[in-house]
């Protein structure tokens, strides 16, 4: 039971990191990222390849952060001049490309079989008996560092400009180019955080394959951000934990209803994720979900009117 | 080469229908519907169970699916999108992703992960000037072209079609003129539903039906719609045909596995160079 | 005699604050009433409220003695009102003919009656009558304004609400537009318009209201307002 809880907590930590990333991009800046799982995969494969070739823990995590941050900047640049709708499509496509590459470039990624035998940091020092607890400790410390970093950043100039953008469209547009730069920065920061999450994922399982990085991972993050409240890091940790525990609980459905097979249980979990996402959007909007959009004022003065309902 | 062109046009025609649906609903409802893939899957399964379980011939099953599926689309709108209508496009697009999870996995729950096929006899392909042309290809080309003509006649020559275009053009003015937005939205989902149902059946004929069916088409549909300028249904047709052909020709240079990556590449290139689509005029630049 | 439109103690706005703070006035049958005022005085909000686009928060709006405060735009159109928004007032991706058809179709006219109505209205706008297959987006500013008028007149409204008809037009066109407004008025339609261009609009108006900070500062005949030398002082935010 302790072992199970430790594993769950580790996975929650990783989920919290992914949710942090989405929170910077979507919660604070209004930019939807449907390719989160792709970014996490990119981080995980970067870490795996480097540590399998002799790179240490810090080197491989750092490399994952850099690769994902740069990729985040590039992806957001593609749609920098466009509205969020297009960014959503571009990120979805990006995730798909990453999936295709991990699946098809066997020489690099091991294809569908993935990469096994990723050395877990300091395992020869700690030993296998208490390693899971130790690793959970690493994850919690990293979550703490990222949390503190984000809290400080959102209170500093970066956060101030994000807030300026989010609270007042006019200010946003008068900032002009800075708004665009801000979007790229926010996307890069989010990308870097997914890189960390990917690293931890690789070390946690010590093998990775493409099936670990599916749209479910992305959906978890969206649920956590919506449940925890866009923009609030503390609420988000709570959101991620409750989402994860609720969904883990569905694993026990199998013991209760034995007519269902594994794939049906999996389907039910995914239905719950989807329905939960929709219900949260509908029923918990205030405070939990404010929509921050980076939009220049429209050219039509009458656009203040409500559009078609 | 000629064979690739024919295959590409065939794929393009099938993809054109959901791309029109996507473009149409984006223009009128003002959000990108990421549930389009899951809707294709759902429609294919509806037709499949009518075909296999109810024992209807495929033609009847397909026709019934085209009548039934728009109701599913209306139901989705009432349950998911209507309560969120005033919340802006980003909320709606996230909700559409949630809906996509629900629909895909309801299909998985009911029908399982196994690939299913319609009950159709395999037929030998026709040969014209050395090119293979499948019977299915002819059917799907006929149905696609017919559906497209129908959609454009409705948009151009009926009052509800004009009202739909008016709302897409200028929703504030449409409201000031007293155009009934509810009616227009319902008509949009019905029309989109018909297109999605038709292409769901055609895709099911083209390949096996499994819960992943629609997911494979999301990116290419968006690519086609963006290529044609989101909100411009005629452009979407052109985008779909172009992508179909490019996708087939691309197999000459890159591995077949990467075909769906070609769609993404095209989106990226188009967005970088011509943000309004190839002939779009709509203001989408921030 | 009751006004064609009677507004009493109207309060309305968007979001938190009221933009219109208790406005009352009558529109007399057959007149051109022009509402002028500085930027941000609430003119546009006021006329949108009359059209039923911005709901009233307090007070009443009556049309021919009937309280229409709770009615939405389509119902007010059915009762004889029509509204032409400022700029962006035609469907740019549709042809002139389609723009007009939308108006007749909204009224539920059969195609024959619709044709008759369109022909009737187009007689007043020869400029656009002979190029009906042109996209409205390709028209000049003045022609677009004419088309917007034509679309509004399809329903044979008794009261026509115009939001800044001269906005964005060259001085020569401004006069043409106001002449058209006058011509429509002479055929028996009462007109309420909001205008920024005081100098050009007053000569064509019968009466005028000066709106400042969402309240009526001055109400008189148009000639009387034109004759006053202190228009600038009237427009100042602080009285």
């Amino acid at each position: 039971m302790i072992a199970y809880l430790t594993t769950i907590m580790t996975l929650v930590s990783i989920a919290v990191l992914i949710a942090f990333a989405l929170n910077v991009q979507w919660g604070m800046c209004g930019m939807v990222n449907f390719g989160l799982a792709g970014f996490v995969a990119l981080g995980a494969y970067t870490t795996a390849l480097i540590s399998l070739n002799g790179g240490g823990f810090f080197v491989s995590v750092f490399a994952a952060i850099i690769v994902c941050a740069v990729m985040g900047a590039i992806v957001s640049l593609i749609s920098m001049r466009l509205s969020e709708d297009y960014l959503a499509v571009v990120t979805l496509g990006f995730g798909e490309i990453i999936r295709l590459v991990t699946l098809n470039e066997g020489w690099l990624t091991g294809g569908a079989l993935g990469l096994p035998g990723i050395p877990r940091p300091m395992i020869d020092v700690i030993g296998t008996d208490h390693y899971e607890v130790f690793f959970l400790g690493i994850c919690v410390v990293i979550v703490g560092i990222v949390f503190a970093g984000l809290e400080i950043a959102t209170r500093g100039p970066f956060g101030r400009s994000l807030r300026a953008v989010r609270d007042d469209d006019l200010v946003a547009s008068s900032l002009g180019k800075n708004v665009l730069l801000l979007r790229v920065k926010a996307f890069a920061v989010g990308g870097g955080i997914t890189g960390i999450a990917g690293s931890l994922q690789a070390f946690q399982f010590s093998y990775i394959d493409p099936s670990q990085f599916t749209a479910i991972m992305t959906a978890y993050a969206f649920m956590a951000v919506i449940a925890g409240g866009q923009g609030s890091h503390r609420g988000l940790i709570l959101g991620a934990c409750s989402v994860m525990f609720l969904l883990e609980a569905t694993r026990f459905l199998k013991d209760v209803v034995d007519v269902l097979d594994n794939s049906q249980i999996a389907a039910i979990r995914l239905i719950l994720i989807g329905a939960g996402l929709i219900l949260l959007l509908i029923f918990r909007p205030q405070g939990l979900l404010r929509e921050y959009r980076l939009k220049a004022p429209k050219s039509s003065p009458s656009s203040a009117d409500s559009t078609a309902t | 080469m000629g064979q690739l062109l024919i295959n590409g046009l065939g794929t393009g025609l099938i993809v054109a229908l959901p791309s029109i649906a996507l473009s149409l609903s984006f223009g009128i409802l003002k959000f990108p519907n990421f549930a389009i893939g899951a809707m294709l899957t759902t429609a294919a399964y509806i037709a499949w169970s009518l075909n296999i379980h109810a024992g209807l011939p495929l033609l009847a099953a397909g026709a019934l699916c085209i009548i039934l599926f728009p109701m599913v689309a209306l139901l989705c709108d009432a349950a998911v999108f209507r309560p969120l209508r005033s919340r802006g496009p980003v909320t709606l697009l996230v909700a559409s992703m949630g809906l996509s999870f629900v629909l895909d996995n309801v299909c998985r729950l009911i029908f399982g992960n196994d690939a299913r096929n319609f009950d159709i006899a395999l037929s030998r392909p026709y040969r014209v000037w050395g090119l293979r042309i499948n019977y299915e290809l002819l059917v799907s080309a006929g149905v696609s072209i017919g559906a497209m003509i129908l959609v454009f006649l409705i948009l151009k020559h009926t009052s509800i079609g004009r009202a739909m275009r008016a709302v897409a053009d200028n929703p504030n003015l449409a409201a000031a003129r007293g155009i009934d937005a509810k009616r227009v939205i319902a008509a949009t989902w019905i029309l989109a539903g018909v297109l999605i149902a038709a292409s769901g059946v055609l895709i099911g004929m083209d390949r096996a039906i499994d819960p992943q069916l629609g997911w494979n088409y999301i990116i290419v549909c968006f690519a086609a719609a963006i290529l044609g300028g989101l909100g411009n249904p005629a452009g979407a047709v052109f985008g779909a045909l172009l992508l179909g052909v490019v996708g087939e020709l691309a197999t000459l240079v890159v591995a077949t596995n990467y075909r769906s990556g070609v769609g993404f590449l095209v989106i990226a290139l188009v967005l970088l160079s011509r943000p309004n689509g190839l002939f779009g005029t709509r203001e989408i630049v921030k | 005699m009751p006004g064609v439109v009677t507004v009493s103690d109207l309060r309305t706005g968007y979001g938190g604050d009221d933009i219109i703070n208790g406005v009352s006035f009558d529109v007399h049958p057959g007149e051109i009433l022009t509402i002028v005022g500085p930027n941000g005085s609430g003119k546009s909000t006021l006329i949108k409220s009359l059209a039923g686009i911005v709901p009233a928060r307090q007070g009443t709006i009556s049309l021919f003695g009937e309280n229409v405060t709770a009615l939405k735009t389509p119902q007010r159109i059915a009762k004889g009102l029509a509204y032409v928004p400022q700029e962006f007032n035609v469907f740019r991706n549709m042809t002139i003919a389609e723009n007009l058809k939308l108006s007749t179709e909204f009224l539920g006219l059969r195609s024959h009656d619709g044709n008759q109505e369109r022909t009737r209205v187009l007689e007043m706008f020869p400029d656009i009558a002979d190029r009906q297959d042109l996209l409205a987006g390709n028209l000049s500013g003045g022609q677009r304004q004419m088309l917007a008028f034509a679309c509004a007149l399809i329903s044979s409204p008794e009261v026509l609400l115009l939001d800044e008809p001269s906005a964005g037009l060259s001085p020569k066109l401004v006069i043409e537009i106001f002449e058209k407004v006058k011509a429509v008025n002479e055929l028996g339609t009462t007109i309420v318009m909001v205008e920024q261009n005081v100098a050009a609009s007053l000569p064509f108006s019968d009466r005028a209201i000066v709106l400042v900070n969402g309240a009526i500062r001055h109400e008189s005949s148009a000639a009387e307002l034109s004759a006053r030398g202190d228009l600038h002082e009237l427009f100042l935010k602080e009285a």
Side-chain angles (χ1 to χ4, degrees):
Chain A
M1 192 61 200
I2 296 292
Y4 177 68
L5 270 181
T6 311
T7 309
I8 295 286
M9 291 289 287
T10 308
L11 295 181
V12 168
S13 308
I14 295 171
V16 166
L17 285 175
I18 303 173
F20 275 156
L22 182 65
N23 195 37
V24 174
Q25 297 172 337
W26 182 43
M28 291 157 77
C29 227
M31 303 183 296
V32 172
N33 184 353
F34 280 155
L36 273 173
F39 279 99
V40 179
L42 188 64
Y45 276 90
T46 306
T47 295
L49 287 171
I50 288 177
S51 50
L52 281 172
N53 289 300
F57 175 76
F58 290 104
V59 175
S60 58
V61 173
F62 190 68
I65 296 174
I66 296 297
V67 167
C68 291
V70 168
M71 201 49 96
I74 292 173
V75 165
S76 64
L77 270 171
I78 291 179
S79 45
M80 193 169 75
R81 293 183 298 151
L82 307 165
S83 66
E84 295 78 9
D85 314 336
Y86 290 81
L87 187 61
V89 181
V90 169
T91 52
L92 187 74
F94 169 78
E96 183 66 8
I97 293 276
I98 294 289
R99 194 183 68 83
L100 288 175
V101 170
T102 55
L103 213 50
N104 294 313
E105 299 305 315
W107 59 274
L108 184 68
T109 64
L113 295 175
L115 296 170
I118 301 159
R120 308 187 74 181
M122 293 177 73
I123 191 148
D124 40 348
V125 181
I126 308 296
T128 44
D129 290 354
H130 300 290
Y131 190 80
E132 298 304 328
V133 178
F134 167 74
F135 190 73
L136 173 61
I138 294 184
C139 291
V140 170
V141 168
I142 288 179
V143 169
I145 293 171
V146 173
F147 173 76
L150 286 175
E151 282 286 306
I152 293 167
T154 47
R155 292 198 180 128
F158 180 59
R160 264 201 301 279
S161 20
L162 284 183
R163 272 195 299 279
V165 162
R166 150 194 111 177
D167 292 341
D168 194 331
D169 277 2
L170 277 176
V171 174
S173 72
S174 66
L175 289 172
K177 221 176 189 136
N178 289 337
V179 174
L180 302 180
L181 195 64
L182 211 60
R183 285 164 64 94
V184 177
K185 273 188 192 162
F187 229 77
V189 169
I193 300 173
T194 54
I196 304 176
S199 290
L200 295 181
Q201 171 108 357
F203 288 128
Q204 160 68 9
F205 292 104
S206 83
Y207 81 92
I208 47 171
D209 70 60
S211 72
Q212 292 173 9
F213 309 96
T214 57
I216 302 161
M217 193 176 248
T218 309
Y220 270 140
F222 271 89
M223 280 187 83
V225 173
I226 299 167
Q230 275 181 314
S232 149
H233 300 116
R234 234 163 286 161
L236 199 132
I237 296 177
L238 203 71
C241 291
S242 43
V243 165
M244 206 68 178
F245 278 109
L246 275 178
L247 290 167
E248 278 305 316
T250 58
R251 281 194 200 282
F252 300 106
L253 259 179
K254 195 170 185 258
D255 305 332
V256 189
V257 214
D258 52 359
V259 286
L260 297 170
D261 61 27
N262 273 332
S263 92
Q264 283 172 316
I265 298 277
I268 290 177
R269 282 158 59 87
L270 290 170
I271 292 172
L272 288 178
I273 294 176
L277 200 58
I278 295 165
L279 291 176
L280 282 170
L281 284 171
I282 295 177
F283 293 110
R284 303 212 62 185
Q286 252 29 25
L288 290 184
L289 191 102
R290 278 173 291 166
E291 205 166 52
Y292 306 131
R293 278 182 287 164
L294 287 163
K295 228 172 220 159
K298 297 195 194 113
S299 42
S300 154
S302 59
S303 63
D305 298 346
S306 62
T307 48
T309 49
Chain B
M1 185 76 184
Q3 190 64 50
L4 289 178
L5 203 66
I6 287 189
N7 294 349
L9 286 177
T11 317
L13 280 173
I14 296 180
V15 171
L17 298 186
S19 305
I20 297 173
L22 198 60
S23 209
L24 202 62
S25 59
F26 182 86
I28 293 165
L29 307 167
K30 309 289 179 207
F31 77 95
N33 177 17
F34 280 89
I36 189 107
M39 287 181 160
L40 285 171
T41 312
T42 311
Y45 272 114
I46 290 176
W48 180 80
S49 30
L50 290 170
N51 180 222
I52 302 298
H53 291 310
L56 295 174
L58 184 55
L59 186 66
L64 198 54
C65 174
I66 286 173
I67 296 169
L68 289 177
F69 188 74
M71 293 181 209
V72 176
L74 285 175
L75 204 68
C76 291
D77 180 59
V80 178
F81 301 120
R82 191 185 300 159
L84 296 171
R85 200 97 73 206
S86 58
R87 299 268 198 82
V90 177
T91 302
L92 284 163
L93 77 87
V94 173
S96 74
M97 201 45 122
L99 175 63
S100 157
F101 268 65
V102 173
L103 290 178
D104 267 347
N105 289 288
V106 166
C107 291
R108 179 169 288 140
L109 185 65
I110 300 174
F111 301 102
N113 278 321
D114 300 337
R116 315 282 186 168
N117 286 295
F118 287 125
D119 180 20
I120 34 173
L122 285 172
S123 53
R124 291 171 64 88
Y126 302 98
R127 288 197 171 269
V128 184
W129 299 312
L131 301 173
R132 275 175 294 113
I133 299 178
N134 288 327
Y135 173 69
E136 287 81 28
L137 185 77
L138 290 180
V139 171
S140 63
V143 171
S144 297
I145 292 170
M148 281 180 227
I149 291 174
L150 189 71
V151 168
F152 291 111
L153 285 180
I154 289 174
L155 286 180
K156 190 80 190 162
H157 293 291
T158 67
S159 66
I160 187 69
R162 266 188 290 273
M164 287 165 75
R165 284 164 57 214
V167 172
D169 191 330
N170 188 339
N172 291 326
L173 180 61
R177 286 279 189 75
I179 289 174
D180 184 354
K182 286 201 182 93
R183 202 168 137 255
V184 168
I185 289 170
T188 306
W189 281 113
I190 291 171
L191 210 53
V194 167
L195 291 168
I196 291 168
S199 61
V201 176
L202 295 179
I203 291 171
M205 282 169 64
D206 192 46
R207 65 199 285 289
I209 301 167
D210 62 46
Q212 285 284 310
L213 178 142
W215 187 255
N216 298 307
Y217 285 85
I218 294 185
I219 292 180
V220 69
C221 286
F222 270 103
I226 289 177
L227 205 57
L230 264 179
N232 175 358
V237 174
F238 177 80
L241 292 177
L242 191 69
L243 275 174
V245 173
V246 170
E248 285 292 331
L249 292 182
T251 57
L252 294 174
V253 239
V254 296
T256 334
N257 296 329
Y258 282 104
R259 201 182 309 185
S260 61
V262 173
F264 173 71
L265 202 68
V266 171
I267 298 182
L269 289 178
V270 169
L271 289 184
L272 281 174
S273 58
R274 301 212 45 159
N276 291 334
L278 288 184
F279 22 71
T281 48
R282 215 173 77 78
E283 199 57 24
I284 54 168
V285 175
K286 296 180 87 67
Chain C
M1 168 173 183
V4 179
V5 179
T6 306
V7 177
S8 63
D9 194 28
L10 180 70
R11 275 174 194 279
T12 185
Y14 313 97
D17 298 326
D18 287 346
I19 295 173
I20 299 298
N21 307 305
V23 162
S24 306
F25 62 90
D26 279 328
V27 181
H28 304 159
E31 72 172 348
I32 297 182
L33 172 63
T34 302
I35 300 168
V36 296
N39 254 332
S41 61
K43 301 182 304 261
S44 199
T45 309
L46 176 58
I47 202 141
K48 278 180 189 152
S49 191
L50 295 186
I53 290 166
V54 181
R57 289 179 176 170
Q58 193 192 305
T60 55
I61 299 169
S62 308
L63 193 57
F64 306 110
E66 182 188 351
N67 187 342
V68 296
T69 319
L71 299 187
K72 295 221 159 98
T73 312
Q75 293 138 315
R76 292 192 198 185
I77 294 174
K79 295 203 180 293
L81 204 75
Y83 163 64
V84 179
Q86 183 190 354
E87 296 181 275
F88 304 97
N89 49 16
V90 295
F91 297 108
R92 288 171 180 241
N93 296 321
M94 303 176 82
T95 64
I96 293 177
E98 286 174 331
N99 266 282
L100 290 164
K101 265 188 189 159
L102 270 171
S103 295
T104 51
E105 276 158 5
F106 168 70
L107 295 172
L109 292 179
R110 290 170 169 279
S111 59
H112 173 72
D113 301 336
N115 275 335
Q116 276 192 335
E117 285 306 304
R118 287 196 291 277
T119 317
R120 174 183 66 80
V121 168
L122 279 175
E123 274 170 13
M124 300 164 64
F125 301 95
D127 260 16
I128 54 171
D130 50 357
R131 50 182 96 179
Q132 290 195 47
D133 289 329
L134 214 63
L135 282 185
N138 294 341
L139 294 174
S140 70
Q143 288 166 331
R144 269 208 295 274
Q145 198 61 262
M146 296 292 182
L147 176 59
F149 281 8
C151 289
L153 289 174
I154 289 273
S155 60
S156 306
E158 295 182 69
V159 184
L160 183 60
L161 308 175
L162 305 174
D163 192 351
E164 298 222 16
S166 76
L169 298 182
S170 68
K172 181 174 161 286
L173 277 172
V174 167
I175 299 300
E176 262 180 51
I177 285 290
F178 285 134
E179 278 168 352
K180 198 54 97 177
V181 170
K182 190 82 190 162
V184 169
N185 172 252
E186 276 162 3
L187 290 172
T189 309
T190 307
I191 287 171
V192 181
M193 66 176 170
V194 151
E195 256 305 332
Q196 191 95 291
N197 193 337
V198 185
S201 62
L202 284 185
F204 293 93
S205 312
D206 297 312
R207 282 193 319 126
I209 284 176
V210 179
L211 195 72
V212 181
N213 284 344
I216 291 178
R217 170 74 53 87
H218 172 95
E219 184 175 356
S220 72
S221 75
E224 194 180 317
L225 183 62
S226 302
R228 280 178 73 138
D230 63 344
L231 218 57
H232 281 292
E233 283 82 77
L234 265 182
F235 270 47
L236 287 178
K237 293 237 163 173
E238 289 82 28

